[in-house]
Amino acid sequence: MNRRTFSLLFFVKRTKHLSHGEVPVYLRITVDGKRAEFSIKRSITESNWDPKRTKAKGKSKTSIELNSYIDSIRMQIYRHQKELEEAQKEVTAESLKNAYHGTV
């Protein structure tokens, strides 16, 4: 029940170029070295992605909207983590992914 490590990483899948030249954005949840990842159903041009900040670059409307969406997902995952801990359920990468997708 004791969680030691927990991280969220947003990244682009450079190997999966979409038909319109963009790459999909994914979220990787890692808890105690175990990973779960999924697409957040958004895409971006590879040159507009900042891998260090794990966000879209720039001040364009598209970048601002994507960054806002990423922040909302991050907050939802943290909320699900807190809810699982309060319910004294095991917090795993897969359980957080399922909670986010509503398949608990």
Side-chain angles (χ1 to χ4, degrees):
M1 191 67 83
N2 289 336
R3 179 182 48 81
R4 292 179 298 277
T5 62
F6 172 75
S7 69
L8 300 177
L9 174 68
F10 290 89
F11 65 98
V12 294
K13 271 232 168 137
R14 290 173 162 74
T15 58
K16 288 191 174 186
H17 285 271
L18 303 174
S19 60
H20 52 282
E22 294 185 337
V23 289
V25 180
Y26 276 70
L27 168 60
R28 178 181 297 143
I29 304 169
T30 307
V31 178
D32 291 337
K34 304 238 189 293
R35 297 175 174 176
E37 65 182 48
F38 56 92
S39 169
I40 66 167
K41 308 291 188 220
R42 297 289 190 275
S43 61
I44 187 171
T45 57
E46 195 172 337
S47 61
N48 284 341
W49 182 255
D50 184 346
K52 287 187 173 127
R53 291 182 49 233
T54 67
K55 290 190 173 209
K57 296 177 186 175
K59 301 282 186 198
S60 71
K61 181 180 178 191
T62 307
S63 293
I64 290 169
E65 286 175 355
L66 177 58
N67 289 338
S68 177
Y69 186 65
I70 287 171
D71 289 340
S72 79
I73 291 174
R74 182 176 281 117
M75 295 313 300
Q76 288 177 56
I77 297 291
Y78 284 128
R79 182 175 45 85
H80 288 303
Q81 176 201 8
K82 184 179 177 187
E83 288 170 358
L84 287 170
E85 287 175 347
E86 287 174 352
Q88 296 185 352
K89 293 184 179 178
E90 186 177 15
V91 177
T92 65
E94 203 62 38
S95 69
L96 287 170
K97 174 184 170 183
N98 291 339
Y100 174 75
H101 287 300
T103 58
V104 174

